[in-house]
Coordinates of all heavy atoms in Angstrom, one line a residue:
M1232 N 1.6 89.4 79.4 CA 0.5 89.9 80.1 C -0.1 89.0 81.1 O -0.8 88.0 80.8 CB -0.6 90.2 79.0 CG -0.2 91.2 78.0 SD -1.5 92.5 77.9 CE -2.9 91.6 77.4
S1233 N 0.3 89.2 82.3 CA -0.3 88.3 83.3 C -1.0 89.1 84.5 O -0.2 89.7 85.3 CB 0.7 87.3 83.9 OG 1.7 88.1 84.6
Y1234 N -2.3 89.2 84.4 CA -3.0 89.9 85.4 C -3.2 89.1 86.6 O -3.5 89.6 87.7 CB -4.3 90.4 84.9 CG -4.2 91.4 83.7 CD1 -4.3 91.0 82.4 CD2 -4.1 92.7 84.0 CE1 -4.2 91.9 81.4 CE2 -4.0 93.7 83.0 CZ -4.0 93.3 81.7 OH -3.9 94.2 80.7
Y1235 N -3.1 87.8 86.4 CA -3.5 86.9 87.5 C -2.3 86.0 87.9 O -1.6 85.7 87.0 CB -4.7 86.1 87.1 CG -5.9 86.9 86.7 CD1 -6.3 87.0 85.4 CD2 -6.6 87.6 87.7 CE1 -7.4 87.7 85.0 CE2 -7.7 88.4 87.3 CZ -8.1 88.4 86.0 OH -9.2 89.2 85.7
E1236 N -2.3 85.6 89.1 CA -1.4 84.6 89.5 C -1.9 83.2 89.2 O -3.1 83.0 89.4 CB -1.1 84.7 91.0 CG -0.1 85.8 91.4 CD 0.3 85.6 92.8 OE1 1.2 84.8 93.1 OE2 -0.3 86.3 93.7
F1237 N -1.0 82.4 88.8 CA -1.4 81.0 88.5 C -0.9 80.1 89.6 O 0.2 80.3 90.2 CB -0.9 80.6 87.1 CG -1.7 81.1 86.0 CD1 -1.5 82.4 85.6 CD2 -2.6 80.3 85.4 CE1 -2.2 82.9 84.5 CE2 -3.3 80.8 84.3 CZ -3.1 82.1 83.9
G1238 N -1.7 79.1 89.8 CA -1.2 78.0 90.8 C -1.3 76.7 90.1 O -1.9 76.6 89.0
T1239 N -0.8 75.7 90.7 CA -0.9 74.3 90.1 C -1.9 73.6 90.8 O -2.0 73.6 92.1 CB 0.5 73.6 90.3 OG1 1.5 74.4 89.8 CG2 0.5 72.3 89.6
C1240 N -2.8 73.0 90.1 CA -3.9 72.1 90.6 C -3.3 71.0 91.4 O -2.4 70.3 90.9 CB -4.7 71.6 89.4 SG -5.9 70.4 90.0
P1241 N -3.8 70.8 92.6 CA -3.2 69.7 93.5 C -3.5 68.4 93.0 O -2.9 67.4 93.3 CB -3.8 70.0 94.8 CG -5.0 70.9 94.6 CD -4.8 71.6 93.4
Y1242 N -4.6 68.3 92.2 CA -5.0 66.9 91.7 C -4.3 66.6 90.3 O -4.4 65.4 90.0 CB -6.5 66.9 91.5 CG -7.2 67.0 92.9 CD1 -7.8 68.1 93.3 CD2 -7.1 65.9 93.8 CE1 -8.4 68.2 94.5 CE2 -7.7 66.0 95.0 CZ -8.3 67.2 95.4 OH -8.9 67.2 96.6
N1243 N -3.8 67.6 89.7 CA -3.2 67.3 88.4 C -2.2 68.4 88.1 O -2.6 69.5 87.8 CB -4.2 67.2 87.3 CG -3.6 66.7 86.0 OD1 -2.3 67.0 85.7 ND2 -4.3 66.2 85.1
P1244 N -0.9 68.1 88.3 CA 0.1 69.2 88.1 C 0.2 69.7 86.7 O 0.8 70.8 86.5 CB 1.4 68.4 88.5 CG 1.1 67.1 88.9 CD -0.3 66.8 88.6
D1245 N -0.5 69.1 85.8 CA -0.5 69.7 84.4 C -1.6 70.8 84.4 O -1.5 71.6 83.4 CB -1.0 68.6 83.4 CG 0.1 67.5 83.3 OD1 1.2 67.8 83.6 OD2 -0.2 66.4 82.8
H1246 N -2.4 70.9 85.3 CA -3.4 72.0 85.4 C -2.8 73.3 86.0 O -2.4 73.3 87.1 CB -4.6 71.6 86.1 CG -5.4 70.5 85.6 ND1 -6.4 69.8 86.3 CD2 -5.3 69.9 84.4 CE1 -6.9 68.9 85.5 NE2 -6.2 68.9 84.4
R1247 N -2.7 74.3 85.1 CA -2.2 75.6 85.6 C -3.5 76.5 85.7 O -4.1 76.7 84.7 CB -1.2 76.2 84.7 CG 0.0 75.4 84.6 CD 1.0 75.5 85.7 NE 1.6 76.8 85.7 CZ 2.1 77.4 86.8 NH1 2.1 76.7 87.9 NH2 2.7 78.6 86.7
I1248 N -3.8 76.9 86.9 CA -5.1 77.5 87.1 C -4.9 78.9 87.7 O -4.0 79.0 88.6 CB -5.9 76.7 88.1 CG1 -6.0 75.2 87.7 CG2 -7.4 77.2 88.3 CD1 -6.6 74.9 86.4
M1249 N -5.7 79.8 87.2 CA -5.7 81.1 87.9 C -6.1 81.0 89.3 O -7.1 80.3 89.6 CB -6.6 82.1 87.2 CG -6.0 82.6 85.9 SD -7.1 83.8 85.1 CE -7.6 82.9 83.7
L1250 N -5.4 81.6 90.2 CA -5.6 81.4 91.7 C -7.1 81.7 92.1 O -7.6 81.0 92.8 CB -4.7 82.2 92.5 CG -3.2 81.7 92.6 CD1 -2.4 82.6 93.6 CD2 -3.2 80.3 93.0
F1251 N -7.6 82.7 91.5 CA -9.0 83.1 91.9 C -10.0 82.0 91.4 O -11.1 82.0 91.9 CB -9.4 84.5 91.4 CG -9.8 84.6 90.0 CD1 -11.1 84.6 89.6 CD2 -8.8 84.8 89.0 CE1 -11.5 84.7 88.3 CE2 -9.2 84.9 87.7 CZ -10.5 84.8 87.3
R1252 N -9.6 81.2 90.4 CA -10.5 80.1 90.0 C -10.2 78.8 90.6 O -10.9 77.8 90.4 CB -10.3 79.9 88.5 CG -10.8 81.1 87.6 CD -10.5 80.8 86.2 NE -11.7 81.0 85.4 CZ -11.7 80.8 84.1 NH1 -10.6 80.4 83.5 NH2 -12.8 80.9 83.4
M1253 N -9.2 78.8 91.4 CA -8.7 77.5 92.0 C -9.8 76.8 92.8 O -10.0 75.6 92.6 CB -7.4 77.7 92.8 CG -6.8 76.4 93.3 SD -6.1 75.5 91.9 CE -4.4 76.2 91.8
P1254 N -10.5 77.5 93.7 CA -11.5 76.8 94.5 C -12.5 76.1 93.7 O -12.8 74.9 94.0 CB -12.1 77.9 95.4 CG -11.1 79.0 95.4 CD -10.4 78.9 94.1
G1255 N -13.0 76.8 92.7 CA -14.0 76.1 91.8 C -13.4 75.0 91.0 O -14.1 73.9 90.8
H1256 N -12.2 75.2 90.5 CA -11.5 74.1 89.8 C -11.3 72.9 90.6 O -11.5 71.8 90.1 CB -10.2 74.6 89.2 CG -9.4 73.6 88.5 ND1 -9.6 73.3 87.2 CD2 -8.5 72.7 89.0 CE1 -8.8 72.3 86.9 NE2 -8.1 71.9 88.0
I1257 N -10.9 73.1 91.8 CA -10.6 72.0 92.7 C -11.8 71.1 92.9 O -11.7 69.9 92.9 CB -10.0 72.5 94.1 CG1 -8.5 72.8 93.8 CG2 -10.2 71.5 95.2 CD1 -7.9 73.4 95.1
V1258 N -13.0 71.8 93.1 CA -14.2 71.0 93.3 C -14.5 70.1 92.1 O -14.8 68.9 92.3 CB -15.4 72.0 93.6 CG1 -16.7 71.3 93.6 CG2 -15.2 72.7 94.9
K1259 N -14.2 70.6 90.9 CA -14.5 69.8 89.7 C -13.5 68.7 89.6 O -13.8 67.6 89.3 CB -14.5 70.8 88.5 CG -15.8 71.5 88.2 CD -15.8 72.1 86.9 CE -15.0 73.4 86.9 NZ -14.9 74.1 85.6
C1260 N -12.2 69.1 89.8 CA -11.1 68.2 89.6 C -11.1 67.1 90.6 O -10.8 65.9 90.3 CB -9.8 69.0 89.7 SG -8.6 68.5 88.4
Q1261 N -11.6 67.4 91.8 CA -11.6 66.4 92.8 C -12.5 65.2 92.4 O -12.3 64.1 92.8 CB -12.2 67.1 94.1 CG -12.1 66.3 95.4 CD -12.6 67.1 96.5 OE1 -13.2 68.1 96.4 NE2 -12.3 66.6 97.7
K1262 N -13.6 65.5 91.7 CA -14.5 64.5 91.3 C -13.9 63.4 90.3 O -14.3 62.3 90.2 CB -15.8 65.1 90.6 CG -16.6 65.8 91.6 CD -17.8 66.4 90.9 CE -18.6 67.2 92.0 NZ -19.3 68.4 91.4
N1263 N -12.9 64.0 89.5 CA -12.3 63.1 88.5 C -11.0 62.5 89.1 O -10.4 61.7 88.4 CB -11.9 63.9 87.3 CG -13.2 64.5 86.7 OD1 -14.2 64.0 86.6 ND2 -13.0 65.8 86.3
Y1264 N -10.7 62.8 90.2 CA -9.4 62.4 90.8 C -9.4 61.0 91.2 O -10.4 60.5 91.9 CB -9.1 63.3 92.0 CG -7.8 63.0 92.7 CD1 -6.5 63.2 92.1 CD2 -7.8 62.5 94.0 CE1 -5.4 62.9 92.7 CE2 -6.6 62.2 94.7 CZ -5.4 62.4 94.0 OH -4.2 62.1 94.7
R1265 N -8.4 60.2 90.9 CA -8.4 58.8 91.2 C -7.2 58.4 92.1 O -7.0 57.2 92.3 CB -8.3 58.0 89.9 CG -9.5 58.1 89.0 CD -10.7 57.3 89.5 NE -11.9 57.5 88.7 CZ -12.8 58.5 88.9 NH1 -12.6 59.3 89.9 NH2 -13.9 58.6 88.2
G1266 N -6.4 59.3 92.4 CA -5.2 59.0 93.2 C -5.5 58.8 94.7 O -6.6 58.8 95.1
P1267 N -4.4 58.7 95.4 CA -4.6 58.6 96.9 C -5.2 59.9 97.5 O -5.0 60.9 96.9 CB -3.2 58.5 97.4 CG -2.3 59.0 96.3 CD -3.0 58.8 95.0
P1268 N -6.1 59.7 98.5 CA -6.8 60.9 99.0 C -5.8 61.9 99.6 O -4.8 61.6 100.2 CB -7.6 60.3 100.2 CG -7.1 58.9 100.5 CD -6.3 58.5 99.2
L1269 N -6.2 63.2 99.2 CA -5.3 64.3 99.7 C -6.0 64.9 100.9 O -7.2 64.9 101.0 CB -5.2 65.3 98.6 CG -4.5 64.8 97.3 CD1 -4.4 66.0 96.3 CD2 -3.2 64.2 97.5
Q1270 N -5.2 65.4 101.8 CA -5.7 66.1 102.9 C -5.9 67.6 102.6 O -5.1 68.2 101.8 CB -4.7 66.0 104.1 CG -4.5 64.6 104.6 CD -3.7 64.5 105.8 OE1 -4.1 65.0 106.9 NE2 -2.5 64.0 105.7
I1271 N -6.9 68.2 103.2 CA -7.1 69.6 102.9 C -6.5 70.5 104.0 O -6.7 70.2 105.2 CB -8.6 69.9 102.9 CG1 -9.3 69.0 101.8 CG2 -8.9 71.4 102.7 CD1 -10.8 69.0 101.9
C1272 N -5.7 71.4 103.5 CA -5.0 72.3 104.5 C -6.0 73.1 105.2 O -7.0 73.7 104.6 CB -4.0 73.2 103.7 SG -3.2 74.5 104.7
K1273 N -5.9 73.2 106.5 CA -6.8 74.0 107.4 C -6.7 75.5 107.1 O -7.6 76.3 107.4 CB -6.5 73.8 108.8 CG -7.2 72.6 109.4 CD -7.2 72.6 110.9 CE -5.8 72.1 111.4 NZ -5.7 72.0 112.9
Y1274 N -5.6 75.9 106.6 CA -5.3 77.3 106.5 C -5.6 77.9 105.1 O -5.6 79.1 104.9 CB -3.8 77.6 106.9 CG -3.6 77.0 108.2 CD1 -3.0 75.7 108.4 CD2 -4.0 77.6 109.4 CE1 -2.9 75.1 109.6 CE2 -3.9 77.1 110.7 CZ -3.3 75.8 110.8 OH -3.2 75.3 112.0
N1275 N -5.7 77.0 104.1 CA -6.1 77.4 102.8 C -6.7 76.2 102.1 O -6.1 75.2 101.8 CB -5.0 77.9 102.0 CG -5.4 78.5 100.6 OD1 -6.3 77.9 100.0 ND2 -4.7 79.5 100.2
A1276 N -8.0 76.2 101.9 CA -8.8 75.1 101.3 C -8.3 74.6 99.9 O -8.7 73.5 99.5 CB -10.3 75.3 101.4
T1277 N -7.6 75.5 99.3 CA -7.1 75.1 98.0 C -5.8 74.3 98.1 O -5.3 73.8 97.1 CB -6.9 76.3 97.0 OG1 -5.8 77.1 97.4 CG2 -8.1 77.1 96.9
H1278 N -5.2 74.2 99.2 CA -4.0 73.4 99.4 C -4.5 72.0 99.7 O -5.1 71.7 100.8 CB -3.2 73.8 100.6 CG -2.6 75.2 100.5 ND1 -2.1 75.9 101.5 CD2 -2.5 76.0 99.4 CE1 -1.7 77.1 101.1 NE2 -1.9 77.2 99.8
R1279 N -4.2 71.1 98.8 CA -4.5 69.6 99.0 C -3.2 68.9 98.9 O -2.5 68.9 97.9 CB -5.5 69.1 98.0 CG -6.7 70.0 97.7 CD -7.7 69.8 98.8 NE -8.7 70.9 98.7 CZ -10.0 70.6 98.5 NH1 -10.4 69.4 98.2 NH2 -10.9 71.6 98.4
V1280 N -2.9 68.2 100.0 CA -1.5 67.5 100.0 C -1.7 66.1 100.6 O -2.6 65.8 101.3 CB -0.5 68.3 100.8 CG1 -0.3 69.6 100.2 CG2 -1.0 68.5 102.2
L1281 N -0.7 65.3 100.2 CA -0.6 63.9 100.8 C -0.1 64.0 102.2 O -0.6 63.3 103.1 CB 0.3 63.0 99.9 CG -0.3 62.4 98.7 CD1 0.7 61.7 97.9 CD2 -1.4 61.4 99.2
D1282 N 0.9 64.8 102.4 CA 1.6 64.8 103.7 C 1.4 66.2 104.3 O 2.1 67.1 104.0 CB 3.1 64.5 103.5 CG 3.8 64.3 104.8 OD1 3.3 64.8 105.9 OD2 4.9 63.6 104.8
M1283 N 0.5 66.3 105.2 CA 0.1 67.6 105.8 C 1.3 68.2 106.6 O 1.6 69.4 106.6 CB -1.1 67.5 106.6 CG -1.7 68.8 107.1 SD -2.0 70.1 105.8 CE -3.3 69.3 104.9
E1284 N 2.0 67.3 107.3 CA 3.1 67.8 108.1 C 4.2 68.5 107.3 O 4.7 69.5 107.6 CB 3.7 66.7 109.0 CG 3.2 66.6 110.4 CD 3.8 65.5 111.2 OE1 5.1 65.6 111.4 OE2 3.1 64.6 111.6
E1285 N 4.5 67.8 106.2 CA 5.5 68.4 105.3 C 4.9 69.7 104.7 O 5.7 70.6 104.6 CB 5.7 67.4 104.1 CG 6.8 66.4 104.4 CD 8.1 67.0 104.8 OE1 8.6 67.9 104.1 OE2 8.6 66.7 105.9
H1286 N 3.7 69.7 104.3 CA 3.1 70.9 103.8 C 3.2 72.1 104.7 O 3.5 73.2 104.3 CB 1.6 70.6 103.4 CG 0.9 71.9 103.0 ND1 1.2 72.5 101.8 CD2 0.0 72.6 103.6 CE1 0.4 73.6 101.8 NE2 -0.4 73.6 102.9
L1287 N 2.9 71.8 106.0 CA 2.8 72.9 106.9 C 4.2 73.6 107.1 O 4.2 74.8 107.5 CB 2.2 72.5 108.3 CG 0.7 72.2 108.3 CD1 0.3 71.8 109.7 CD2 -0.1 73.3 107.7
K1288 N 5.2 72.9 106.8 CA 6.5 73.4 106.9 C 6.7 74.6 105.9 O 7.6 75.4 106.0 CB 7.6 72.4 106.7 CG 7.8 71.4 107.9 CD 8.9 70.4 107.6 CE 8.8 69.3 108.6 NZ 9.6 68.1 108.1
E1289 N 6.0 74.5 104.8 CA 6.2 75.5 103.7 C 4.9 76.3 103.4 O 4.9 77.1 102.5 CB 6.7 74.8 102.5 CG 5.8 73.7 102.0 CD 6.6 72.9 100.9 OE1 7.8 72.7 101.0 OE2 5.9 72.4 100.0
C1290 N 3.8 76.0 104.1 CA 2.6 76.7 103.9 C 2.6 78.1 104.4 O 2.8 78.3 105.6 CB 1.4 75.9 104.5 SG -0.2 76.8 104.3
T1291 N 2.6 79.1 103.5 CA 2.7 80.5 103.9 C 1.4 80.9 104.7 O 1.5 81.8 105.6 CB 2.8 81.4 102.7 OG1 1.8 81.1 101.8 CG2 4.2 81.2 102.1
Y1292 N 0.3 80.3 104.4 CA -0.9 80.6 105.1 C -0.8 80.1 106.6 O -1.3 80.8 107.5 CB -2.2 80.0 104.4 CG -2.5 80.6 103.2 CD1 -1.7 80.4 102.0 CD2 -3.5 81.6 103.1 CE1 -2.0 81.0 100.8 CE2 -3.8 82.3 101.9 CZ -3.0 82.0 100.8 OH -3.3 82.6 99.6
Y1293 N -0.3 79.0 106.8 CA 0.0 78.5 108.1 C 0.9 79.4 108.9 O 0.7 79.7 110.0 CB 0.5 77.0 108.0 CG 0.9 76.4 109.3 CD1 0.0 76.2 110.3 CD2 2.3 76.1 109.6 CE1 0.4 75.6 111.5 CE2 2.7 75.6 110.8 CZ 1.7 75.4 111.8 OH 2.1 74.8 113.0
R1294 N 2.0 79.8 108.2 CA 2.9 80.6 108.8 C 2.3 82.0 109.2 O 2.5 82.5 110.3 CB 4.1 80.9 107.9 CG 5.3 81.5 108.6 CD 6.6 81.2 107.8 NE 6.7 79.8 107.5 CZ 7.5 79.4 106.4 NH1 8.1 80.2 105.6 NH2 7.6 78.1 106.2
N1295 N 1.5 82.5 108.3 CA 0.8 83.8 108.7 C -0.1 83.6 109.9 O -0.2 84.4 110.7 CB -0.1 84.2 107.5 CG 0.8 84.8 106.4 OD1 2.0 85.0 106.5 ND2 0.2 84.9 105.2
F1296 N -0.8 82.4 109.9 CA -1.7 82.1 111.0 C -0.9 82.1 112.4 O -1.3 82.7 113.3 CB -2.4 80.8 110.8 CG -3.2 80.3 111.9 CD1 -4.4 80.8 112.1 CD2 -2.7 79.3 112.8 CE1 -5.2 80.4 113.2 CE2 -3.4 78.8 113.8 CZ -4.7 79.4 114.0
I1297 N 0.2 81.3 112.3 CA 1.1 81.2 113.5 C 1.6 82.6 113.9 O 1.6 83.0 115.1 CB 2.3 80.3 113.2 CG1 1.8 78.9 113.0 CG2 3.3 80.3 114.3 CD1 1.0 78.3 114.2
D1298 N 2.0 83.4 112.9 CA 2.5 84.8 113.2 C 1.4 85.6 113.9 O 1.7 86.3 114.9 CB 3.0 85.5 112.0 CG 4.3 84.9 111.5 OD1 4.9 84.1 112.2 OD2 4.7 85.3 110.4
S1299 N 0.2 85.5 113.4 CA -0.9 86.3 113.9 C -1.3 85.8 115.3 O -1.6 86.6 116.2 CB -2.1 86.4 113.0 OG -2.7 85.1 112.9
Q1300 N -1.1 84.5 115.5 CA -1.4 83.9 116.8 C -0.4 84.5 117.8 O -0.7 84.9 118.9 CB -1.3 82.4 116.8 CG -2.5 81.7 116.2 CD -3.3 81.1 117.2 OE1 -2.8 80.3 118.0 NE2 -4.5 81.5 117.2
A1301 N 0.9 84.4 117.4 CA 2.0 84.9 118.3 C 1.8 86.3 118.6 O 2.0 86.8 119.7 CB 3.3 84.7 117.6
M1302 N 1.3 87.1 117.6 CA 0.9 88.5 117.8 C -0.2 88.7 118.8 O -0.1 89.5 119.8 CB 0.6 89.1 116.5 CG 0.3 90.6 116.5 SD 1.9 91.5 116.9 CE 2.7 91.5 115.3
Q1303 N -1.2 87.9 118.7 CA -2.3 87.9 119.6 C -1.9 87.6 121.0 O -2.2 88.3 122.0 CB -3.4 86.9 119.2 CG -4.2 87.2 118.0 CD -5.1 88.4 118.3 OE1 -5.7 88.5 119.3 NE2 -5.0 89.4 117.3
I1304 N -1.0 86.6 121.2 CA -0.6 86.2 122.5 C 0.3 87.3 123.1 O 0.1 87.7 124.2 CB 0.2 84.9 122.4 CG1 -0.7 83.7 122.1 CG2 1.0 84.6 123.7 CD1 -0.1 82.5 121.6
A1305 N 1.2 87.9 122.2 CA 2.0 89.0 122.7 C 1.2 90.1 123.2 O 1.5 90.8 124.2 CB 3.0 89.4 121.6
L1306 N 0.1 90.4 122.5 CA -0.8 91.5 122.9 C -1.5 91.2 124.1 O -1.7 92.2 125.0 CB -1.8 91.8 121.7 CG -1.2 92.5 120.5 CD1 -2.3 92.6 119.4 CD2 -0.6 93.9 120.8
T1307 N -2.0 90.0 124.3 CA -2.7 89.7 125.5 C -1.8 89.6 126.8 O -2.3 89.8 127.9 CB -3.6 88.4 125.4 OG1 -2.7 87.4 125.0 CG2 -4.7 88.6 124.4
M1308 N -0.5 89.2 126.5 CA 0.4 89.1 127.6 C 0.8 90.5 128.1 O 1.1 90.7 129.3 CB 1.7 88.5 127.1 CG 1.5 87.0 126.7 SD 1.5 85.9 128.1 CE 3.2 85.6 128.3
R1309 N 0.7 91.5 127.2 CA 1.1 92.8 127.6 C 0.0 93.5 128.4 O -0.8 94.3 127.8 CB 1.5 93.6 126.4 CG 2.4 94.8 126.7 CD 2.4 95.8 125.6 NE 3.0 95.2 124.4 CZ 2.8 95.7 123.1 NH1 2.0 96.7 123.0 NH2 3.3 95.1 122.1
K1310 N -0.1 93.1 129.6 CA -1.2 93.6 130.4 C -0.9 95.1 130.8 O 0.3 95.5 130.8 CB -1.2 92.8 131.7 CG -1.7 91.4 131.5 CD -2.9 91.1 132.5 CE -3.6 89.8 132.1 NZ -2.7 88.7 132.4
A1311 N -1.9 95.8 131.0 CA -1.7 97.2 131.4 C -0.9 97.2 132.7 O -1.2 96.4 133.6 CB -3.0 97.9 131.6
P1312 N 0.1 98.1 132.8 CA 0.9 98.1 134.1 C 0.0 98.5 135.2 O -0.9 99.3 135.1 CB 2.0 99.2 133.7 CG 1.4 100.0 132.6 CD 0.5 99.1 131.8
I1313 N 0.3 98.0 136.4 CA -0.4 98.4 137.6 C -0.1 99.8 137.9 O 1.0 100.2 138.1 CB 0.0 97.5 138.8 CG1 -0.5 96.0 138.4 CG2 -0.7 97.9 140.0 CD1 0.3 95.0 139.2
L1314 N -1.2 100.6 137.9 CA -0.9 102.0 138.1 C -0.8 102.3 139.6 O -1.5 101.8 140.4 CB -2.1 102.8 137.6 CG -2.3 102.8 136.0 CD1 -3.6 103.4 135.6 CD2 -1.1 103.5 135.4
D1315 N 0.2 103.1 139.9 CA 0.4 103.6 141.2 C -0.8 104.4 141.5 O -1.1 105.3 140.8 CB 1.6 104.4 141.3 CG 2.0 104.8 142.7 OD1 1.2 104.7 143.6 OD2 3.2 105.2 142.9
D1316 N -1.6 104.1 142.6 CA -2.8 104.9 142.8 C -2.5 106.3 143.4 O -3.4 107.0 143.8 CB -3.8 104.1 143.6 CG -3.3 103.8 145.0 OD1 -2.2 104.3 145.3 OD2 -4.0 103.1 145.7
G1317 N -1.2 106.6 143.6 CA -0.9 107.9 144.0 C -1.3 108.2 145.4 O -1.7 109.3 145.7
S1318 N -1.3 107.2 146.3 CA -1.8 107.4 147.6 C -0.9 108.4 148.4 O -1.3 108.9 149.4 CB -1.8 106.1 148.4 OG -0.5 105.4 148.3
D1319 N 0.4 108.6 147.9 CA 1.2 109.5 148.6 C 0.9 111.0 148.2 O 1.5 111.9 148.6 CB 2.7 109.2 148.3 CG 3.1 109.3 146.9 OD1 2.2 109.6 146.0 OD2 4.3 109.1 146.6
T1320 N -0.2 111.1 147.4 CA -0.7 112.5 147.2 C -1.7 112.9 148.2 O -2.2 114.0 148.2 CB -1.3 112.7 145.8 OG1 -2.4 111.8 145.7 CG2 -0.4 112.4 144.7
N1321 N -1.8 112.0 149.2 CA -2.7 112.3 150.3 C -2.1 113.4 151.1 O -1.0 113.3 151.7 CB -2.8 111.0 151.2 CG -3.9 111.2 152.2 OD1 -4.2 112.3 152.6 ND2 -4.4 110.1 152.7
T1322 N -2.8 114.5 151.2 CA -2.2 115.7 151.8 C -2.7 115.9 153.2 O -2.7 117.0 153.7 CB -2.4 116.9 150.9 OG1 -3.8 117.0 150.6 CG2 -1.6 116.9 149.7
E1323 N -3.3 114.9 153.8 CA -3.9 115.0 155.1 C -2.7 115.3 156.1 O -1.7 114.7 156.1 CB -4.5 113.7 155.5 CG -5.5 113.8 156.6 CD -6.1 112.5 156.9 OE1 -6.6 111.9 156.0 OE2 -6.0 112.0 158.1
L1324 N -2.8 116.3 156.9 CA -1.8 116.7 157.8 C -2.0 116.3 159.2 O -3.1 116.4 159.7 CB -1.5 118.2 157.7 CG -1.0 118.7 156.4 CD1 -1.1 120.2 156.3 CD2 0.5 118.2 156.2
Ligands
ZN783 ZN1 -7.1 70.2 88.1
ZN784 ZN1 -1.5 75.2 103.3

């Protein structure tokens, strides 16, 4: 019976936390944490890692962000075609 997805606490891999509780747990766990400082992922605040560059290679939130950026760019690049103003419909004789 698993209604919830579990994630691993970045501060203690022994902690298996329901994802929806992760933000609150992290705040608590951070206070007791004595290891090297972890960097907070810009794309998901519950991602705390030592090596952000390595993390971004596998961060699905980052990938989604990049994808949506690429989508945005694609959409803005697709300018409306220049409409022929139909000047040859001028029927002046
Ligand atoms: Zn924890
Ligand atoms: Zn991340």
Side-chain angles (χ1 to χ4, degrees):
M1232 292 233 302
S1233 63
Y1234 293 98
Y1235 302 109
E1236 273 193 87
F1237 282 78
T1239 305
C1240 172
Y1242 293 107
N1243 186 335
D1245 293 338
H1246 296 168
R1247 299 282 291 160
I1248 311 299
M1249 282 182 247
L1250 284 185
F1251 79 95
R1252 291 177 128 180
M1253 189 67 90
H1256 174 86
I1257 278 177
V1258 171
K1259 277 190 282 176
C1260 220
Q1261 192 175 14
K1262 289 181 184 151
N1263 304 317
Y1264 179 68
R1265 296 282 176 270
L1269 301 184
Q1270 298 186 65
I1271 302 170
C1272 177
K1273 272 193 281 183
Y1274 307 97
N1275 184 325
T1277 69
H1278 297 165
R1279 311 281 170 116
V1280 295
L1281 274 174
D1282 188 338
M1283 189 52 67
E1284 264 182 63
E1285 274 304 307
H1286 169 71
L1287 290 183
K1288 287 179 192 166
E1289 57 192 36
C1290 177
T1291 52
Y1292 288 79
Y1293 173 65
R1294 196 159 307 156
N1295 289 345
F1296 174 79
I1297 294 299
D1298 285 351
S1299 65
Q1300 284 257 305
M1302 186 65 80
Q1303 286 295 314
I1304 289 164
L1306 287 173
T1307 53
M1308 296 279 276
R1309 200 196 298 159
K1310 292 234 170 69
I1313 297 155
L1314 293 170
D1315 187 345
D1316 64 4
S1318 55
D1319 60 0
T1320 59
N1321 190 336
T1322 53
E1323 201 180 305
L1324 293 167

